[in-house]
């Protein structure tokens, strides 16, 4: 029974966010393709873990970071870079021959499916790892970490759609990876600062809350912008 409770606590935040983005789709995608995206997000957890362990070993040896510059390097190079790179690879795999990728919003939807598939597995790991304090971990991650992956995915999906449908410039192509990676790196750098300095960590926590609020406002604006584009397109074809 306890195992089921922990699973629900870990998986429910991703499920709620996935449902919230799915219901905003002007023209819903086939369930089979969305499931494929979620499963790809789950599958990349294995290679991401391998790369992260290798990067951490190269940068810090047997120990971990002991300075703020070290936690920042870990945030960007060990966490953000491999995670967002593999998410982008998964997004490319699911969209490159997808006949239903015909709306701007689709890029965001599929990216979020991948991001939340990844976040769900990561959340299960953390909740079960801290079984004694699982409730605190589950609540904290449901308010910060899982919504963080959700926002990173929206940013990636937005630029992927802009590049695919609107602007094939190298700048937009670079933004597909660099923007979510930068957001992810800043998030983790703030979250990890407490590992080496509890006072800075306490201050960083409040900055992290502010950053998350701003990031989600930007993500929401990206979602609304692409929905508006698709609605205009639908209206123009029906008049």
């Amino acid at each position: 029974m306890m195992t089921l409770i922990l699973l629900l606590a870990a998986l429910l935040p991703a499920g709620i966010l996935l449902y919230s983005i799915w219901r905003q789709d002007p023209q819903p995608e086939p369930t089979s393709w969305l499931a494929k995206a979620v499963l790809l997000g789950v599958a990349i957890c294995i290679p991401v873990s391998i790369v992260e362990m290798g990067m951490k070993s190269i940068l810090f040896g047997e120990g971990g970071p002991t300075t703020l510059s070290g936690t920042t390097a870990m945030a960007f190079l060990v966490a953000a870079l491999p995670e967002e790179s593999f998410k982008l690879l998964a997004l490319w795999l699911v969209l490159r021959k997808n006949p239903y990728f015909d709306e701007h919003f689709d890029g965001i939807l599929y990216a979020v499916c991948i991001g939340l598939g990844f976040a769900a597995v990561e959340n299960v790991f953390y909740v079960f790892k801290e079984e004694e304090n699982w409730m605190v971990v589950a609540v904290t991650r449901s308010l910060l970490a899982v919504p963080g992956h959700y926002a990173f995915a929206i940013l990636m999906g937005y630029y992927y759609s802009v590049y695919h449908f609107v602007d094939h410039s190298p700048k937009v192509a670079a933004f597909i990876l660099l923007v979510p990676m930068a957001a992810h790196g800043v998030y983790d750098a703030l979250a990890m600062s407490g590992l080496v300095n509890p006072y800075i960590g306490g201050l960083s926590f409040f900055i992290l809350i502010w950053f998350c609020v701003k990031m989600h406002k930007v993500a929401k604006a990206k979602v609304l912008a692409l929905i508006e584009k698709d609605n205009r397109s639908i209206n123009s074809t029906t008049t």
Side-chain angles (χ1 to χ4, degrees), residues 84-134:
E84 298 308 320
S85 295
F86 275 97
K87 287 178 191 176
L88 179 54
L89 173 62
L91 185 60
W92 176 77
L93 288 173
V94 81
L95 291 182
R96 66 190 181 105
K97 293 184 179 179
N98 187 337
Y100 302 99
F101 182 31
D102 54 1
E103 297 174 300
H104 295 81
F105 184 73
D106 294 345
I108 286 179
L109 180 59
Y110 284 105
V112 168
C113 286
I114 291 165
L116 290 179
F118 179 90
V121 175
E122 186 182 66
N123 221 33
V124 168
F125 171 79
Y126 278 103
V127 170
F128 275 83
K129 181 182 177 183
E130 302 290 339
E131 191 170 346
E132 291 185 2
N133 300 309
W134 70 268

Side-chain angles (χ1 to χ4, degrees), residues 211-227:
F211 177 75
C212 286
V213 171
K214 296 290 288 186
M215 180 171 62
H216 280 276
K217 286 183 178 180
V218 171
K220 183 178 180 180
K222 302 294 188 189
V223 168
L224 294 177
L226 294 195
I227 289 176

Side-chain angles (χ1 to χ4, degrees), residues 25-216:
D25 191 2
Q27 294 186 330
E29 299 296 290
T31 303
S32 60
W33 280 92
L34 297 179
K36 180 180 178 180
V38 172
L39 291 174
L40 276 172
V42 171
I44 63 173
C45 290
I46 296 174
V48 165
S49 297
I50 295 171
V51 171
E52 287 184 337
M53 286 188 292
M55 291 292 293
K56 185 177 179 182
S57 177
I58 292 170
L59 291 173
F60 305 108
E62 295 297 322
T66 57
T67 63
L68 288 176
S69 61
T71 56
T72 301
M74 185 167 174
F76 281 89
L77 300 178
V78 178
L81 177 59
E83 289 181 20
E84 298 308 320
S85 295
F86 275 97
K87 287 178 191 176
L88 179 54
L89 173 62
L91 185 60
W92 176 77
L93 288 173
V94 81
L95 291 182
R96 66 190 181 105
K97 293 184 179 179
N98 187 337
Y100 302 99
F101 182 31
D102 54 1
E103 297 174 300
H104 295 81
F105 184 73
D106 294 345
I108 286 179
L109 180 59
Y110 284 105
V112 168
C113 286
I114 291 165
L116 290 179
F118 179 90
V121 175
E122 186 182 66
N123 221 33
V124 168
F125 171 79
Y126 278 103
V127 170
F128 275 83
K129 181 182 177 183
E130 302 290 339
E131 191 170 346
E132 291 185 2
N133 300 309
W134 70 268
M135 191 174 294
V136 174
V137 174
V139 171
T140 303
R141 290 187 60 81
S142 70
L143 296 175
L144 294 173
V146 177
H149 282 289
Y150 172 79
F152 307 149
I154 287 175
L155 296 173
M156 179 178 289
Y158 173 83
Y159 287 106
Y160 197 101
S161 280
V162 170
Y163 180 79
H164 182 81
F165 292 108
V166 181
D167 184 351
H168 297 290
S169 69
K171 176 182 177 180
V172 174
F175 278 4
I176 298 172
L177 176 61
L178 293 181
V179 172
M181 191 186 81
H184 192 157
V186 170
Y187 175 98
D188 278 356
L190 291 169
M192 292 178 183
S193 63
L195 295 175
V196 296
N197 190 312
Y199 299 105
I200 293 179
L203 176 61
S204 295
F205 178 76
F206 292 102
I207 299 174
L208 177 63
I209 300 299
W210 173 83
F211 177 75
C212 286
V213 171
K214 296 290 288 186
M215 180 171 62
H216 280 276

